[in-house]
Amino acid sequence: MASYAAAPSSAGTHAIGPRRLGVLLFVASESMVFLSVISLYSVGQGRVDHPNPQETLSAARMIPFSVALWLSSGTIALCARRLARGRYGGMRLWLLATVILGAVFLGGELSEWLELFGERVTAASNVWATTFFTLTGIHGLHVIIGLLMMLALLGVSLRRPLAHGGESGLELISIYWHFVDGMWVLIYGVVYFWSAFMAR
Amino acid sequence: MRRRRLAGFAAALVVLACWPAAALAAPFWPVSGQTLQARSISWLFWLVMAIAGLFLLVVLGTLLYVIVAFRGREGQPDPRPVYGHLRLEMWWAGIPFAILVAVFIFTVREVGVETAIAPDALPITLIGHQWWWEFQYPGAVSANELHVPVGRQVRLQLLSADVVHNFWVPELAGKEQMVPGQTNLWTFTPEQPGRYDGACAEYCGTQHGWMRLTVFADAPADFDRWLAGQGQPVSQQVLSQHQDALRLYTANACGACHAISGVSNGKAAPDLTHLGSRSTIGAGVLQNTPDNLAAWIQDAQQFKPGSYMPKFRLSDADARQLAAFLEDLR
Amino acid sequence: MASVARPLPGYAGVGVGPPGAGLLTWVSTVDHKRIGIMYVATGLVFFAVGGIESLLMRSQLAQPDAQVLSPQVYNQVFTLHGVTMIFFAVMPLLFGLANYLLPLMIGARDVAFPRLNAFSYWILAASGLFLYYSLLSGGAPDVGWYAYAPLTEHPFSPTNAVDFYALALILSGAGTVATSINFVVTVVHHRAPGMSYNRLPVFVWMMLVTSALSLLALPTLTASLIMLLVDRLLSGHFYDPLGGGLPIMWQHLFWIFGHPEVYILALPAFGFISEIVPVFSRKPIFGYSFVVASGIAIGFLSFGVWAHHMFASGMPIIADMAFSASTMAIAIPTGVKIFTWLATAYGGAIRFRTPMLFALGFIAMFLIGGLSGVTLAVVPIDWQVNGSYYLVAHLHYVAVGGVAFAIFAAWYYWFPKMSGRMMSERWGKAHFWLFLIGFNLTFLPMHLLGIEGMPRRVYTYPAFEGWGDLNLLITIGAFIMGLAVVVFVGNVLWSLRFGRPAGDNPWEAWTLEWATSSPPPSYNFASIPTVTSRRPLWDVAHPEAPDWEHEREL
């Protein structure tokens, strides 16, 4: 049966198109997942002996990987700009750069996890470790999903020109990607910076 | 048509009659709080009920009036539209607001009354278990039956050994959760000697239904005597009288879960050192008689399915012997 | 001026009628009306299941020391009853009706993302089945619908039941979030020309607020369930005090979701009543702006009242007082709505058809539930009756006396639009009176039981407490309600085949869904209507006194 979605609406012109609005609402909703876990992380601060973030985490060690992730927000913006000008070669290059930067971040995250596992710190160790792995795990999952979407987009772009403009797939993915990066600012601040330097 | 309308009104009357009928059908607790704190709750309860009841009557009355007075006739044209009235809307938001401010002020005042703790309050530690209560007094331990002195404030420290429980004795005060990993405080000041029934008020697993307790408010002298008795270990005379039962107690590993001072010190189940002095067994599920106790020992699951007390393959004679011993622990 | 669409001749009934009614066309449909009907049908099935569960519980509780159900079974039944009714009966009924009505009411052809809409439905249906699949895998969850930790932790709930509970709610939450996104985008982007926010039907406004609440509240539940699963499956310690965790945080997180959830259920009900009372009183809603604004205020306040579920959990007194105040504050916009409906009916020419009976019943019953809610905001009273049958009474006066009455009102009101046939008035009235009497017999005495000290969620109670008589009365009431629902289902099945043809606008209502045929064609409107006021069809009928002349009068 045919659907009659997206009938023209004359209720006024909108700066935010329907798909864009949908993604914005989705990331607003997702942010509540992160805020819930972060709030538990904050409440649980200082309630554990070992392992604890002061001994276990290094705020400095994650800086290069975090910077890679934050830079990728810039590269995806450059990617969208190239697309808008119809320069597909540059667009693909910047998209690839975004994927690589995201992968670098994931690699850093993974190496930290493996290092912790080596020190016998796992989600089962204590409430701090449980929260740490859950929070970084949920975030990492979001990064992976973002990377998969970008790779798919890259694949599509090799076969046909991508749509551009506010409702294009690239724009929607970049909203999601900025959200994932923004959440990492919050997580880095709370998990690495605050607990490593401020608590106790 | 007319008859049907009458039937409708009759049905409405039946529904309205449910209210007072239900109210008269049962004795109504909040009239008779038995502690300072419960009286405070009771007073506030009736105040708020009166306000809410008045409000209910006015609004329901208006509704009934509207239903009767503005019944549409066949073929009646639509009445003149009215779209709103800002001042009226302000009034009907403002009046409830004023009422609620007053209620809130009374709330704050009564909460102050109910949570104030006197310096000489008697401290008792309550620990919730699946599905029984442990009471720790200075110098004594008991289970499922809480004794408190009349006229002295009691300060309860509420803990939990496993899941969330909730201590509630309706006639004495409100209730408070027992949350594992944190200590909650609760207080009441008994004013009348007597026996008060209570129960766990937070769902805590299979036998939440039979996690009941009894509070005995004793005259101060009786309470002191009771507490001194609970502090005593089991007398050698009782132990020597019940050598065979004691062997059964050991052979069946009762002491792995239960404590009897000087015999065993299991922590998972109620302390039995003074079991004979209690009026119920199984956190209220049975009267404490030798026959009931023997049956309980043989098959507690029959009375309290899902509890952690296993079945024991004891002969009737052995069970009675064990029960006789436990009943002598006074 | 108002050019309200009429369907093109010959096209009426293409949507939900017999042509193309094969099963496969239902499975593959992305038509919001068909999806709405599937939602509603699913909700009704789960409503029946949850109702049977409640009758099982009432059979066990009819007399003290009864042995109809074992405690293990009773605990599974009451948990399933709560989870089923909230997440798989009432939510699908509300969201299904909204799915059907919202695009029609704003003059749209469908929701913004029809395929996402189908996804929402199927994932919800799947999660409901998933919950019940636990029965085949060693037992249903037995932890209560709010599942306080650490009872849900592995040592105390070693079977997979709690995992089924958590996964089912995570899945259904994903469906609800997707639907909410769909609703918001549809309202923002697909309103008919002239349908400004100031002219949106009140129901659409309430669904906007509900969607916003769902978007922000459900992820909190999802997060707390993910953390529960981490605890259970990866030996985590979020809610485990031995590993440094805080069991109390489950209560906070759950109710940060749980209280907005109450309004996710209540606001659509307010929307239904705000549509039905004006039509059957033959007057416009009294104080449109006030009604909408109070709905928005409820939306904001609902995130600030969660801890009133936790007055007895050992919070600092100052927190108790703050949440007591915020809870009293949320009572005001709620009370305002009741006055509004009364003022709408006042001076009207009331037509006592079944939808209006349920709407009036809603006002009276919800009033009682709201007032008992205010008594629970008074901290010492909450200390006394929280966790008792008083609370069971209160929540059912809100959830059944409020929400279910509103759903029945909506059902009788929009059934003609959805099926093209009228429901039987005679059986509708029998349903109403049986339900009203059964409901009050069931839940009114529960207030008294709670005050006398009967805790909720007990599988039995001792005879010496003297609670047997009231409990018997309650059980009789519950079976009367069951009979009422049987009458209702019979009426639905009878009316689907033999009901009087409805015509486009049987109630002489004023909103856009009544401007098209019953049932509407799959494209809803042959030409998109242009809207000139809050009551477009009134303007058509009364060109001499159109509604838009009064839009500034609130």
Side-chain angles (χ1 to χ4, degrees):
Chain A
M1 190 134 293
S3 84
Y4 293 87
S9 156
S10 330
T13 50
H14 298 280
I16 306 174
R19 278 145 54 93
R20 198 178 171 80
L21 178 59
V23 173
L24 284 171
L25 292 171
F26 172 72
V27 299
S29 183
E30 278 299 277
S31 69
M32 291 303 289
V33 174
F34 285 95
L35 288 180
S36 303
V37 184
I38 290 172
S39 69
L40 236 65
Y41 188 94
S42 318
V43 172
Q45 279 287 322
R47 287 176 51 83
V48 290
D49 294 334
H50 184 83
N52 63 48
Q54 293 77 23
E55 296 169 16
T56 322
L57 295 183
S58 155
R61 188 180 175 289
M62 272 312 275
I63 285 180
F65 303 110
S66 307
V67 169
L69 188 67
W70 292 325
L71 277 180
S72 74
S73 256
T75 56
I76 201 169
L78 289 172
C79 175
R81 191 174 293 179
R82 293 293 180 281
L83 180 65
R85 290 184 195 155
R87 289 161 60 180
Y88 294 105
M91 184 272 293
R92 278 184 213 118
L93 212 62
W94 283 119
L95 194 55
L96 192 65
T98 310
V99 173
I100 290 171
L101 285 170
V104 166
F105 169 79
L106 269 186
E109 190 71 82
L110 188 66
S111 74
E112 182 172 52
W113 275 34
L114 292 176
E115 204 170 290
L116 291 176
F117 291 156
E119 296 166 23
R120 299 188 171 281
V121 178
T122 68
S125 297
N126 65 16
V127 69
W128 171 76
T130 309
T131 326
F132 171 78
F133 283 109
T134 306
L135 190 52
T136 53
I138 291 176
H139 182 263
L141 200 65
H142 280 76
V143 173
I144 291 172
I145 290 168
L147 292 184
L148 289 177
M149 288 194 294
M150 283 184 229
L151 284 173
L153 200 69
L154 201 58
V156 171
S157 80
L158 292 173
R159 299 179 57 147
R160 60 177 170 81
L162 294 180
H164 58 84
E167 293 280 285
S168 68
L170 180 63
E171 277 293 331
L172 302 182
I173 292 177
S174 68
I175 294 171
Y176 172 84
W177 194 248
H178 293 321
F179 158 73
V180 171
D181 292 357
M183 278 299 134
W184 186 254
V185 176
L186 203 58
I187 295 171
Y188 185 85
V190 172
V191 174
Y192 292 90
F193 190 75
W194 179 45
S195 58
F197 292 117
M198 301 300 187
R200 295 203 184 178
Chain B
M1 193 65 211
R2 185 173 198 95
R3 179 180 280 179
R4 197 174 300 162
R5 194 172 294 170
L6 274 176
F9 275 115
L13 278 178
V14 169
V15 172
L16 285 177
C18 286
W19 268 101
L24 291 174
F28 213 41
W29 162 74
V31 195
S32 58
Q34 299 294 329
T35 63
L36 172 72
Q37 290 75 12
R39 280 191 291 113
S40 156
I41 294 177
S42 185
W43 182 83
L44 195 58
F45 180 90
W46 285 114
L47 176 79
V48 175
M49 277 296 151
I51 295 171
L54 199 66
F55 196 88
L56 182 74
L57 283 182
V58 169
V59 179
L60 276 188
T62 312
L63 180 67
L64 276 181
Y65 171 73
V66 167
I67 288 173
V68 173
F70 300 106
R71 143 185 312 276
R73 292 182 311 277
E74 204 70 38
Q76 181 182 0
D78 288 354
R80 191 181 60 83
V82 179
Y83 294 89
H85 191 286
L86 184 59
R87 196 177 299 165
L88 185 62
E89 287 156 21
M90 291 302 182
W91 273 108
W92 72 38
I95 290 172
F97 179 77
I99 295 174
L100 287 173
V101 167
V103 170
F104 184 70
I105 290 170
F106 281 114
T107 303
V108 174
R109 199 185 74 176
E110 295 305 310
V111 164
V113 171
E114 288 147 24
T115 52
I117 290 179
D120 70 332
L122 170 70
I124 308 175
T125 300
L126 270 64
I127 305 172
H129 295 260
Q130 279 183 320
W131 294 276
W132 60 282
W133 310 83
E134 179 180 348
F135 306 129
Q136 295 178 346
Y137 293 82
V141 177
S142 180
N144 298 336
E145 287 180 8
L146 182 69
H147 285 254
V148 291
V150 167
R152 181 173 169 195
Q153 193 175 21
V154 178
R155 182 170 150 277
L156 303 175
Q157 292 195 76
L158 303 172
L159 308 169
S160 169
D162 35 49
V163 302
V164 179
H165 300 281
N166 194 325
F167 172 82
W168 187 29
V169 184
E171 287 160 291
L172 297 183
K175 62 174 69 66
E176 185 78 349
Q177 282 184 5
M178 313 165 91
V179 184
Q182 78 185 48
T183 306
N184 288 348
L185 295 181
W186 200 241
T187 186
F188 60 86
T189 316
E191 292 177 336
Q192 296 292 328
R195 179 196 156 125
Y196 306 102
D197 289 293
C200 175
E202 190 63 62
Y203 176 69
C204 54
T206 310
Q207 273 296 345
H208 167 59
W210 276 115
M211 185 165 166
R212 300 184 59 87
L213 81 157
T214 313
V215 175
F216 293 91
D218 303 332
D222 294 341
F223 174 76
D224 290 340
R225 204 175 314 124
W226 175 84
L227 188 58
Q230 296 287 308
Q232 299 292 320
V234 182
S235 72
Q236 284 306 318
Q237 187 197 350
V238 170
L239 288 179
S240 55
Q241 263 174 16
H242 292 283
Q243 286 297 331
D244 292 343
L246 210 50
R247 265 193 295 279
L248 284 169
Y249 184 86
T250 315
N252 287 287
C254 303
C257 298
H258 291 282
I260 295 177
S261 77
V263 179
S264 70
N265 50 18
K267 295 270 176 230
D271 188 298
L272 303 177
T273 311
H274 299 280
L275 178 65
S277 68
R278 296 182 210 145
S279 59
T280 63
I281 45 184
V285 75
L286 287 174
Q287 291 301 310
N288 188 5
T289 66
D291 287 346
N292 279 349
L293 188 54
W296 169 264
I297 293 168
Q298 280 178 306
D299 186 7
Q301 296 299 317
Q302 176 193 340
F303 304 103
K304 199 168 173 178
S307 79
Y308 291 118
M309 172 95 174
K311 276 187 181 185
F312 285 95
R313 294 176 169 279
L314 290 176
S315 69
D316 289 352
D318 284 353
R320 269 200 298 276
Q321 197 163 31
L322 201 47
F325 162 55
L326 295 173
E327 296 291 9
D328 273 354
L329 300 176
R330 293 191 164 271
Chain C
M1 228 201 57
S3 65
V4 174
R6 315 302 299 180
L8 295 173
Y11 277 75
V14 172
V16 214
L23 193 62
L24 199 65
T25 64
W26 283 90
V27 174
S28 62
T29 188
V30 292
D31 179 345
H32 74 97
K33 296 180 289 301
R34 288 186 148 205
I35 291 173
I37 288 172
M38 291 196 292
Y39 260 116
V40 169
T42 309
L44 202 59
V45 169
F46 278 113
F47 182 73
V49 172
I52 291 168
E53 283 157 359
S54 68
L55 294 183
L56 283 174
M57 288 191 279
R58 285 320 311 173
S59 306
Q60 162 70 11
L61 292 177
Q63 284 297 295
D65 298 317
Q67 297 190 338
V68 180
L69 304 179
S70 72
Q72 290 89 347
V73 171
Y74 183 89
N75 295 340
Q76 293 176 32
V77 169
F78 85 68
T79 303
L80 280 179
H81 170 76
V83 177
T84 303
M85 283 302 198
I86 291 164
F87 293 97
F88 301 110
V90 170
M91 292 276 278
L93 281 164
L94 292 174
F95 278 69
L97 285 164
N99 228 305
Y100 196 101
L101 297 169
L102 189 134
L104 284 167
M105 283 181 142
I106 60 173
R109 295 223 190 272
D110 204 322
V111 292
F113 309 112
R115 279 188 292 175
L116 183 69
N117 201 22
F119 164 82
S120 300
Y121 167 73
W122 287 107
I123 200 167
L124 179 110
S127 58
L129 293 178
F130 193 73
L131 176 72
Y132 275 85
Y133 183 75
S134 64
L135 281 170
L136 302 178
S137 77
D142 58 352
V143 289
W145 82 276
Y146 48 76
Y148 274 4
L151 183 63
T152 46
E153 298 273 283
H154 202 266
F156 306 109
S157 296
T159 69
N160 285 330
V162 174
D163 305 319
F164 277 103
Y165 160 86
L167 287 167
L169 292 195
I170 289 174
L171 287 177
S172 87
T176 308
V177 166
T179 308
S180 302
I181 292 173
N182 229 332
F183 286 162
V184 174
V185 177
T186 306
V187 173
V188 170
H189 277 281
H190 296 290
R191 280 168 289 130
M195 178 64 86
S196 62
Y197 286 106
N198 193 28
R199 291 172 182 164
L200 280 185
V202 175
F203 174 69
V204 176
W205 259 113
M206 293 304 112
M207 283 314 297
L208 258 186
V209 180
T210 296
S211 302
L213 292 186
S214 304
L215 283 175
L216 297 177
L218 278 157
T220 312
L221 174 67
T222 304
S224 50
L225 291 168
I226 289 173
M227 291 188 270
L228 176 62
L229 286 175
V230 168
D231 272 13
R232 290 179 56 81
L233 304 177
L234 302 174
S235 312
H237 304 283
F238 281 111
Y239 312 119
D240 162 30
L242 298 180
L246 292 165
I248 197 76
M249 287 312 289
W250 169 272
Q251 297 188 24
H252 279 292
L253 282 177
F254 189 91
W255 291 118
I256 289 174
F257 149 75
H259 208 81
E261 170 70 17
V262 172
Y263 289 97
I264 290 171
L265 303 179
L267 286 170
F270 296 166
F272 291 148
I273 302 303
S274 303
E275 298 300 327
I276 292 168
V277 169
V279 168
F280 290 90
S281 307
R282 311 309 301 157
K283 281 177 67 214
I285 186 89
F286 189 93
Y288 173 91
S289 310
F290 226 66
V291 177
V292 171
S294 63
I296 296 170
I298 288 172
F300 278 106
L301 286 170
S302 72
F303 281 98
V305 296
W306 78 85
H308 69 213
H309 296 266
M310 298 168 60
F311 286 150
S313 72
M315 290 192 302
I317 296 295
I318 187 78
D320 286 350
M321 292 296 99
F323 281 99
S324 171
S326 66
T327 306
M328 289 180 190
I330 205 171
I332 293 167
T334 314
V336 162
K337 285 183 177 292
I338 287 178
F339 297 138
T340 301
W341 297 318
L342 283 178
T344 304
Y346 187 95
I350 303 173
R351 297 175 178 174
F352 290 95
R353 312 296 292 276
T354 315
M356 186 59 168
L357 291 183
F358 273 103
L360 294 170
F362 165 93
I363 294 174
M365 297 301 112
F366 182 74
L367 175 68
I368 296 172
L371 285 172
S372 65
V374 172
T375 66
L376 285 163
V378 177
V379 177
I381 297 178
D382 181 88
W383 281 337
Q384 184 62 34
V385 293
N386 174 27
S388 78
Y389 262 82
Y390 188 94
L391 206 97
V392 181
H394 159 69
L395 84 88
H396 284 94
Y397 266 88
V398 174
V400 182
V403 182
F405 269 70
I407 289 174
F408 283 131
W411 185 291
Y412 282 93
Y413 181 59
W414 279 293
F415 180 89
K417 177 53 60 184
M418 296 166 79
S419 70
R421 292 184 184 277
M422 304 299 287
M423 297 272 285
S424 154
E425 274 292 311
R426 176 190 300 234
W427 287 109
K429 282 179 177 152
H431 169 206
F432 171 73
W433 286 109
L434 278 175
F435 199 76
L436 185 69
I437 292 167
F439 171 76
N440 281 289
L441 277 180
T442 306
F443 295 107
L444 230 143
M446 285 189 186
H447 290 105
L448 299 175
L449 281 179
I451 288 163
E452 285 176 33
M454 181 164 166
R456 67 191 291 203
R457 297 176 164 183
V458 292
Y459 76 97
T460 191
Y461 50 92
F464 71 82
E465 292 279 15
W467 298 332
D469 295 346
L470 280 177
N471 270 296
L472 187 61
L473 189 68
I474 290 170
T475 301
I476 293 169
F479 277 90
I480 294 177
M481 282 174 85
L483 180 65
V485 174
V486 171
V487 169
F488 166 68
V489 172
N491 191 358
V492 171
L493 296 177
W494 185 87
S495 302
L496 272 176
R497 281 197 70 166
F498 306 113
R500 193 161 47 80
D504 293 0
N505 189 2
W507 310 118
E508 301 178 88
W510 302 303
T511 39
L512 281 184
E513 75 272 28
W514 305 102
T516 185
S517 62
S518 306
S522 62
Y523 45 83
N524 290 354
F525 302 95
S527 62
I528 296 294
T530 301
V531 178
T532 51
S533 80
R534 287 175 197 144
R535 295 195 294 166
L537 301 199
W538 166 277
D539 297 352
V540 175
H542 299 271
E544 76 287 356
D547 229 17
W548 47 264
E549 289 177 356
H550 304 280
E551 244 162 43
R552 299 206 173 275
E553 297 175 25
L554 291 157

